[in-house]
Each structure stands twice: as C-alpha cells, then as structure tokens.
Amino acid sequence: MKHYCHAYGCKAEVPPKIFMCKQHWYSLPKDMRDAVCEKYQTGQEISKTPSREFVGAAREAINHLKETDHWANKLIGIPYDITGSDPVSGFNCWSFVRYVQAKYYGRNLPEIPNPTQFRAITKEFSAHAERARWQKIDDPQDGDLILTCLGAHPCHVGVYIALNGGGILHCVNRVGVQFHRIDMLTLGGWTLQGFYRFVGEST
C-alpha cells in the first residue's frame, strides 16, 4: 500500500514511518518537528495506534502548513486600483470580492457601476439585488462576506477566511490586499458591520 506525505494536498510518496516529504518537513518550524519526533513511538505505523500526543503534534504541524500554503497568502500584496479587476491590474474592494468568490467559491457576483466613486459603490451595493442572496449571520465561515465601515455607513467589504483564528481578506485603498484578524480590525479604525452568508437566489 502506498504511503503519502501528510502535508495537505501533497502526493509525494514516503516510507510509512516518515511523516512528511523533505520539502514539507523542513518547512515546519523546528519546535514542531521536534514535537512530532518526540511523540513518535517505534512501530506505530505498523500497529496503527499512535498516541494521542502524537496525533495532536501531527495535527498542529499539518494545520500550520495548510495555513502557510493557503491560496489567500498568494493574493496578499496585490495593489489597490479603483478600476482594477484582476491580479495584474489590481482591485478595488468589490472587484476583489468578486474575483475571490468566482475563483475559489464558484459564485458569480455582479459588477457594481461607478467604480471611480467610492460612495457610489457603497450606495449601489446597499440597494443592489445582490444583497438578497446574502443572509446576515452571527458565526462566519470560510467564504462569507464581511461588511465594515470607517464612518456611519457600510463602506467596505471583504471575505472571511478561516486562517489564524479567522479574519478578513480584503483590498484596502492605498494599501492593497491584506489579511487582518477580526480582533485586530479596530486597531486600523474599522468597525465591524456584520457577516453575510451566500444563500443563493431569493424566492
């Protein structure tokens, strides 16, 4: 029976007693590698009875690589452009949400007109029929929308990503694509307005 590296999505074959391929193994912090080795018990790959401590250390290592290899990390740093709509030209906040939802969640969201007028984007989205396809929820999951504001009205939108305890992946004016933990938003002056989940066409 073939045995594969335990890193998420890796198809590299390794011996049964080897936890990961060399590339992923040495991508782990040393303390995580040490923890996996320390909790390993000789022959556990044959008996199929790893200790609870080994399973915990292994899960932490796998999740660490999953987060650092997450597709969201490849988008961070893309510049802000009020008329942009792709990774080359850049994005505004809504065009970035459209791109992420289409590419990674298979949802086609409509364009919002007047991208050169930021207030027009806010007003249009607030009244847009697209809002009927999103239900306000309390507990966000990967791919939900997040509305935030810097003033009295919702003025910015991003995507909730279940990384590092959960946060917003968004394209910020003059900064570009960034990821912020939810609990760190207020340090940047943002006020959380709510989480929204895609529910499909309204009936």
Side-chain angles (χ1 to χ4, degrees), residues 30 35 60 64 74-75 78 91 104-105 124 146 161:
K30 185 177 185 301
E60 183 178 0
H64 173 82
K74 299 178 177 64
L75 300 177
I78 292 175
F91 298 98
Y104 298 103
Y105 300 99
E124 186 71 23
I146 304 177
I161 302 295

Side-chain angles (χ1 to χ4, degrees), residues 2-196:
K2 293 182 178 180
H3 183 78
Y4 298 97
C5 170
H6 283 82
Y8 182 78
C10 184
K11 299 300 183 182
E13 290 187 38
V14 295
K17 70 177 182 178
I18 300 300
F19 182 56
M20 289 181 175
C21 66
K22 285 186 177 181
Q23 177 181 347
H24 284 114
W25 178 248
Y26 288 106
S27 295
L28 290 170
K30 185 177 185 301
D31 60 334
M32 286 190 180
R33 299 200 307 267
D34 290 345
V36 171
C37 291
E38 180 183 339
K39 305 304 181 184
Y40 171 80
Q41 296 177 342
T42 302
Q44 68 177 35
E45 71 278 3
I46 299 173
S47 65
K48 309 296 184 185
T49 56
S51 67
R52 181 177 301 177
E53 291 77 11
F54 177 85
V55 172
R59 183 178 294 115
E60 183 178 0
I62 292 169
N63 287 340
H64 173 82
L65 288 181
K66 184 177 180 180
E67 290 192 355
T68 56
D69 286 345
H70 196 283
W71 55 262
N73 291 313
K74 299 178 177 64
L75 300 177
I76 293 172
I78 292 175
Y80 181 94
D81 188 293
I82 192 65
T83 61
S85 60
D86 59 67
V88 176
S89 62
F91 298 98
N92 60 56
C93 70
W94 178 248
S95 65
F96 178 68
V97 166
R98 290 186 70 231
Y99 174 84
V100 169
Q101 290 292 325
K103 184 173 179 64
Y104 298 103
Y105 300 99
R107 303 167 185 155
N108 293 317
L109 277 55
E111 291 187 47
I112 290 181
N114 302 320
T116 58
Q117 301 177 33
F118 190 73
R119 289 186 179 274
I121 292 179
T122 303
K123 180 179 179 181
E124 186 71 23
F125 181 61
S126 297
H128 202 287
E130 177 64 16
R131 283 290 292 272
R133 301 201 299 165
W134 297 82
Q135 179 180 20
K136 192 170 184 178
I137 46 93
D138 295 325
D139 299 315
Q141 297 178 3
D142 206 74
D144 290 342
L145 295 191
I146 304 177
L147 262 62
T148 63
C149 75
L150 285 171
H153 304 286
C155 58
H156 186 70
V157 63
V159 180
Y160 182 86
I161 302 295
L163 287 177
N164 195 23
I168 181 174
L169 186 69
H170 56 157
C171 194
V172 182
N173 189 19
R174 299 176 184 173
V175 178
V177 177
Q178 290 197 332
F179 174 83
H180 292 108
R181 288 205 331 255
I182 297 300
D183 60 358
M184 298 295 287
L185 278 177
T186 54
L187 295 180
W190 298 99
T191 300
L192 181 64
Q193 293 292 297
F195 304 105
Y196 292 81

